[in-house]
Amino acid sequence: MLAGELGVSRGVVVEAYEQLAAEGYLVGRRGSGTRVAAGVAGAGPGGWSGRRRPRRGTT
């Protein structure tokens, strides 16, 4: 879904998420998804920013 919105392959998105996680910007847990790491600018309590981008074509 994100890959399609960005016009890139799924592999590029997976690689980007892996890099962001390796640099400490994202944390992931099986079954609960991937979140912005606590302490990252704009992240709320527990590491989630609470803001979602609107889907294309819905605004």
Side-chain angles (χ1 to χ4, degrees), residues 1-47:
M1 193 159 132
L2 178 59
E5 287 184 29
L6 298 175
V8 299
S9 72
R10 182 181 178 278
V12 169
V13 173
V14 169
E15 197 172 311
Y17 269 83
E18 288 173 350
Q19 184 65 38
L20 289 167
E23 292 178 13
Y25 292 104
L26 299 178
V27 291
R29 197 176 314 160
R30 183 165 280 200
S32 23
T34 303
R35 299 177 182 261
V36 176
V40 173

Side-chain angles (χ1 to χ4, degrees), residues 39-54:
V40 173
W48 188 251
S49 68
R51 292 176 282 165
R52 291 187 180 203
R53 291 185 327 156

